[in-house]
């Protein structure tokens, strides 16, 4: 009854969402803060004041949303945690990019494509740019959905081992991509390592890589302290940047992801989308996303709180003798000197907090811990002191 294709699928296993008791969830890299009140108000009034909006199809081009995303990127430089928040005399808050992050050109709405979470966006990117006749090159440890899509679309993969410090081995990555004449994908900052490549390192890779092959940088965590590659888009026509509202924009439940790329590539992804389920994001999500972008100051403050909490947590773990990466994301990858990863995960779970453990060989002794609020992290620190 089932197709061979179906039998060969290897679906992604998300962080658990148990219902048996209420846990503090530090296992899915969600944002611990609520969305901005202005977004909630805008969504409620949007529905109340426009009762036909749910009866009619949404804007197929999502133009207001794409414009708002482009504006937000221009105003933040794509790194919220470093964006400068200013308050004027009426109490209105605005953001400007830090000098390090300022984009040297204007991101325009034609450079944006939005979809139902960046996972969906990624699936269209895979379909549009990678094929079954060429290997796709990626690091051995990166976002675990990429191999799932590669399997789904029958795209052969070549993985490259990490360096001993968990960073991406850029030389090996490039050498493999050259050998296979293939595209490249990785997350930057990377998951689950939490480590980022600088924009210069990404640029070096792009300069040496085949300009005819697509180079995807997934910036799901960039807002927490990475360096965005958006400023490189004018120089490299093969660069596709994937971003999401799920982490830094408090929007995991909303399902909104996007790409930033040159208009020709945005067009290609749009063509794939329009051949499958041609309606865009629903009208409510478009509105919520637009309003979130207009309140980037709020998410900048959240990102800053998360980054500060992360740095303090890293110091805490080091004091306790744990091995931990210097993270640029909203999570840390850490190893307890006295206990295996699975045991650590189970011990913490018994005390009411969920963290993520991967059974995959090479990482089985680690746990990945999402950074929560100060209160949540204080709870976790107490539990860790008991180990
Ligand atoms: C969380 C995550 C995503 C998925 O984000 P959604 O927009 O929620 O689908 C994509 N890439 C990476 C690296 C992530 O960590």
């Amino acid at each position: 009854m089932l197709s061979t294709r179906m039998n060969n699928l290897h679906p992604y296993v998300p962080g658990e969402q148990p219902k048996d008791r209420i846990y503090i969830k530090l296992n899915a890299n969600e944002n611990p803060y609520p969305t901005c009140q202005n977004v909630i108000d805008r969504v409620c009034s949007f529905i109340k004041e426009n009762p036909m909006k749910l009866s009619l199809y949404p804007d197929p081009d999502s133009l207001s949303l794409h414009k708002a995303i482009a504006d937000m990127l221009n105003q933040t430089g794509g790194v919220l945690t470093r964006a400068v928040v200013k308050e004027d005399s009426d109490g209105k808050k605005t953001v400007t990019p830090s000098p390090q992050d300022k984009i040297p050109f204007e991101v325009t709405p034609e450079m944006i494509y939005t979809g139902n979470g960046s996972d969906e966006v990624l699936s269209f990117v895979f379909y549009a740019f990678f094929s079954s006749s060429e290997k796709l090159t990626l690091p051995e440890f990166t976002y675990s959905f990429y191999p799932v899509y590669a399997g789904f679309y029958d795209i052969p993969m070549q993985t490259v081992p990490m360096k001993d410090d968990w960073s991406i081995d850029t030389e090996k990555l490039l050498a493999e991509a050259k050998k296979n004449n293939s595209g490249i994908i990785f997350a930057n900052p990377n998951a689950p390592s939490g480590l980022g490549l600088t924009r210069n390192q990404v640029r070096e890779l792009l300069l040496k890589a085949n300009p005819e092959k697509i180079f995807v940088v997934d910036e799901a965590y960039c807002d927490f302290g990475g360096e965005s590659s958006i400023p490189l888009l004018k120089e490299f026509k093969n660069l596709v940047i994937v971003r999401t509202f799920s982490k830094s924009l408090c929007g995991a439940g909303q399902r909104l992801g996007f790409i930033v790329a040159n208009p020709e590539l945005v067009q290609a992804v749009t063509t794939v989308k329009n051949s499958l389920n041609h309606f865009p994001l629903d009208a409510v999500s478009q509105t919520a996303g637009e309003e979130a972008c207009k309140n980037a100051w709020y998410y900048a403050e959240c990102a800053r709180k998360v980054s500060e909490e992360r740095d303090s947590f890293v110091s805490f773990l080091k004091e306790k003798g744990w091995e931990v990466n210097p993270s640029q994301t909203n999570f840390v990858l850490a190893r307890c000197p006295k206990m295996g990863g699975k045991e650590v995960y189970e011990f913490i779970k018994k005390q009411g907090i969920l963290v993520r453990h991967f059974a995959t060989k090479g990482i089985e002794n680690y746990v990945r811990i999402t950074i929560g609020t100060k209160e949540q992290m204080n709870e976790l620190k107490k539990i860790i002191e008991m180990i």
Side-chain angles (χ1 to χ4, degrees), residues 165-182:
D165 66 356
W166 278 100
S167 62
I168 292 175
D169 192 329
T170 51
E171 275 169 32
K172 279 205 189 114
L173 191 70
L174 194 65
E176 274 306 329
K178 288 230 142 158
K179 199 169 91 196
N180 300 315
N181 190 30
S182 82

Side-chain angles (χ1 to χ4, degrees), residues 28-29 116-120 122 142-143 146 187 189 191 218-221 242-247 251-252 255-257 331 368:
N29 297 345
N116 189 8
S118 62
D119 284 343
E120 188 199 62
L122 279 163
T142 185
Y143 186 38
Y146 309 146
D218 182 343
E219 295 190 342
Y221 299 107
V242 179
R243 301 189 61 122
T244 177
F245 278 55
S246 294
K247 314 297 171 28
R255 310 305 304 130
L256 178 46
F331 60 86
R368 191 197 68 188

